Every structure is written in C-alpha cells, then in structure tokens.
Amino acid sequence: MNKAFTITTPRRKTRSSAPACRRFTWWRGLQARELLENYFRERVKERRGKEGSDLLTVLCHTEDEDGNSFFPTRDIVNPHDLPYDGRA
C-alpha cells in the first residue's frame, strides 16, 4: 500500500507513444491507482455504516438538505474526477 502512494498515478488510461520504459512506468501508475481506489472504496463501505469523527467518516455521512448523500462513493475515492472551476 505504501508503495502505491509513491508511484505517479496517471489520470488517462492510454499512453502508446512513449518509449517502452515509460509505458511500463505508466502501467505501474495505473496499477497503483487501481489498488488505492479499491482500498478506499472498501474503507468508504465500512465507514458509511459506522459513526465517527474522522474525515473519511464525516465525508461518508455528509448529507444535503434533502437527506441525500452529499459525496457519492466515487467522489470520495477519486476526487480528481470532480469538476474544477479554476479557483484555488
């Protein structure tokens, strides 16, 4: 798990024009990203059913005015896919 955090994780799924050594690094990054997403997806499932004050549990239990989950699992697991409006 620790090694997955140190590997650059690309956002795109394809990269064919790079040399073989760079494609292998790209592949390792995709594998690390998948490992981390699966890990956090399981943690989110655990936390949705429990109470707590840690950040992940709070994100899992945050609701909008209508009582719907404010953060779907995919947004907690992979926040890079959220829309970005350019403001810091």
Side-chain angles (χ1 to χ4, degrees):
M1 182 61 62
N2 290 338
K3 189 173 183 177
F5 276 105
T6 62
I7 296 173
T8 303
T9 55
R11 293 181 65 187
R12 292 186 315 181
K13 297 289 183 185
T14 60
R15 185 168 180 134
S16 60
S17 62
C21 63
R22 294 184 99 183
R23 283 195 303 261
F24 179 69
T25 302
W26 190 263
W27 177 84
R28 282 187 9 220
L30 288 174
Q31 298 302 309
R33 181 179 178 141
E34 183 177 346
L35 177 83
L36 291 171
E37 286 178 357
N38 290 337
Y39 174 80
F40 282 108
R41 195 171 289 111
E42 290 301 316
R43 300 299 76 78
V44 167
K45 285 180 188 176
E46 291 173 2
R47 303 297 171 89
R48 288 217 188 265
K50 297 180 180 179
E51 294 296 322
S53 61
D54 60 281
L55 177 63
L56 186 55
T57 305
V58 170
L59 289 174
C60 290
H61 290 283
T62 303
E63 298 177 342
D64 62 12
E65 300 83 25
D66 298 326
N68 300 318
S69 178
F70 192 75
F71 294 104
T73 300
R74 65 176 159 67
D75 291 346
I76 296 172
V77 171
N78 191 3
H80 298 292
D81 289 340
L82 291 172
Y84 177 65
D85 65 2
R87 292 180 280 186

